[in-house]
Amino acid sequence: MPVSDPLDADLLRAFGRLEFKLKQRARFLRPNQRDAMVNWRAVNALVSALRREDFVDQVSDETRRKILTRSRDRPKVQEVVMVGALPKAEFRRRALDIQGQPPSDAIALVEAARRVRNNLFHGGKDDPNEQPFDDDDDEWALAAIDVAERLLALVDRNAFGPPEP
């Protein structure tokens, strides 16, 4: 995801801080994993239980417009598809809402921000002929930073519980 400097570093820094703080709380560690990874389902459960004014309304109007309007299926995700007999990673649209659950603006914000982080970190950087992000990468990065900073503020106010010693 070709994001402008210094937005790429700002985004990775915000997510690095967020994940570090979440991993200090046992409830937000993914269970049954050797490597310490954030349990994003637990994060989604917590943010969806918050009052709208405590999270969704805290992000900017621009962030809400970017993520919550239109089809709610962007940013795209990399999925494995079979091309002939070989697997290939392709970017595809996927709903931000959790399948089988009612739509949640809080979860959509978290999921979109995670996708931006994942796409920046893992995909689409090396092929100049592949532009799956529709030339609005910086807007997505700014929205993801906004969401990560709002989540960090909640963590700092112990909305996610205190860190374990």
Side-chain angles (χ1 to χ4, degrees), residues 21-102:
K21 288 184 175 196
L22 288 171
K23 289 177 189 178
Q24 294 175 331
R25 292 148 176 85
R27 139 182 201 197
F28 298 104
L29 285 171
R30 195 183 305 172
N32 305 318
Q33 297 285 316
R34 181 175 176 194
D35 297 332
M37 299 177 74
V38 171
N39 182 347
W40 288 103
R41 288 183 181 175
V43 173
N44 285 344
L46 186 135
V47 298
S48 66
L50 293 172
R51 296 176 309 165
R52 182 176 180 88
E53 58 266 22
D54 290 335
F55 177 53
V56 174
D57 291 346
Q58 296 298 312
V59 300
S60 70
D61 291 340
E62 294 82 19
T63 294
R64 283 194 304 277
R65 266 194 300 279
K66 187 72 181 167
I67 296 173
L68 301 177
T69 58
R70 291 178 256 155
S71 58
R72 291 172 64 121
D73 62 358
R74 292 193 55 221
K76 297 176 184 177
V77 295
Q78 282 189 313
E79 292 182 357
V80 176
V81 297
M82 296 303 289
V83 178
L86 299 173
K88 179 182 179 200
E90 285 188 2
F91 284 95
R92 301 272 174 101
R93 290 180 182 260
R94 183 186 300 160
L96 292 171
D97 297 303
I98 307 297
Q99 190 173 2
Q101 294 183 13

Side-chain angles (χ1 to χ4, degrees), residues 10 85 91 147 152:
D10 292 344
F91 284 95
V147 171
L152 274 165

Side-chain angles (χ1 to χ4, degrees), residues 9 19 33 41 46 56-57 59 77 85 87 95 110 113 118 120-121 123-124 127 129 131 138 148-149:
E19 291 186 13
Q33 297 285 316
R41 288 183 181 175
L46 186 135
V56 174
D57 291 346
V59 300
V77 295
V110 173
N118 289 346
L120 175 63
F121 202 68
D127 187 352
N129 298 318
Q131 177 49 274
D138 287 350
E149 288 175 349

